[in-house]
């Protein structure tokens, strides 16, 4: 099974974090072949916070790298007995539609208890640039939520 995965990557390193050309928006196809203990996740909420800025300032994100974030995702396929299809997971991910995990640093998440009313929400990966600018404008006081 092949998946079309919209992904945001760092295009160029700069100290101008509001630069329109900071990010690349790609559609990347990959063949879905889960290994033992892996599961496929679909990002439902991408949580943007100060850690992104910190990683950029420290040059921890290199050109072409995916942007690492916390995500709330739904399990679509699983070869991991601890994470079942349909469950929601809070864990490390990237600014993209889908990703494969082995469960490291992941925890089950009750989606019904997720309160995002105090956060700014942007719909669609295509609005990542706007969401990132809002994060800078708010001086990192709140998390920004991107809903793919």
């Amino acid at each position: 099974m092949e998946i079309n995965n919209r992904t945001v990557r760092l295009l160029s390193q700069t100290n101008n974090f509001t630069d329109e050309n900071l990010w690349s928006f790609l559609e990347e196809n990959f063949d879905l072949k889960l290994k033992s203990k892996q599961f496929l996740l679909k990002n439902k909420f991408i949580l943007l916070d100060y850690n992104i800025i910190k990683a950029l300032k420290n040059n921890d994100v290199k050109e072409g790298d995916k942007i690492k974030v916390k995500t709330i995702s739904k399990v679509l396929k699983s070869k991991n007995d601890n994470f079942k299809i349909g469950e929601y997971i809070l864990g490390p991910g990237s600014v993209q539609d889908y990703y494969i995990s082995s469960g490291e640093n992941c925890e089950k998440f009750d989606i019904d208890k997720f309160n995002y009313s105090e956060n700014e929400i942007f719909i669609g990966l295509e609005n990542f640039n706007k969401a990132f600018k809002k994060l800078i404008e708010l001086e990192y006081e709140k998390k920004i939520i991107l809903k793919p």
Side-chain angles (χ1 to χ4, degrees), residues 48-59:
L48 308 177
D49 62 18
Y50 181 71
N51 290 320
I52 299 171
I53 308 293
K54 190 172 146 186
L56 287 168
K57 285 182 177 179
N58 292 338
N59 289 325

Side-chain angles (χ1 to χ4, degrees), residues 5-41:
N5 192 31
R6 294 176 307 156
T7 304
V8 176
R9 293 180 181 270
L10 181 66
L11 189 58
S12 62
Q13 290 187 329
T14 178
N15 290 328
N16 180 6
F17 298 135
T18 59
D19 185 348
E20 293 285 330
N21 298 312
L22 188 60
W23 315 107
S24 66
F25 300 89
L26 305 169
E27 289 194 20
E28 303 173 338
N29 294 327
F30 67 92
D31 219 3
L32 175 61
K33 291 183 181 168
L34 294 178
K35 297 176 186 168
S36 176
K37 307 240 187 258
Q38 288 186 328
F39 49 99
L40 174 66
L41 293 159

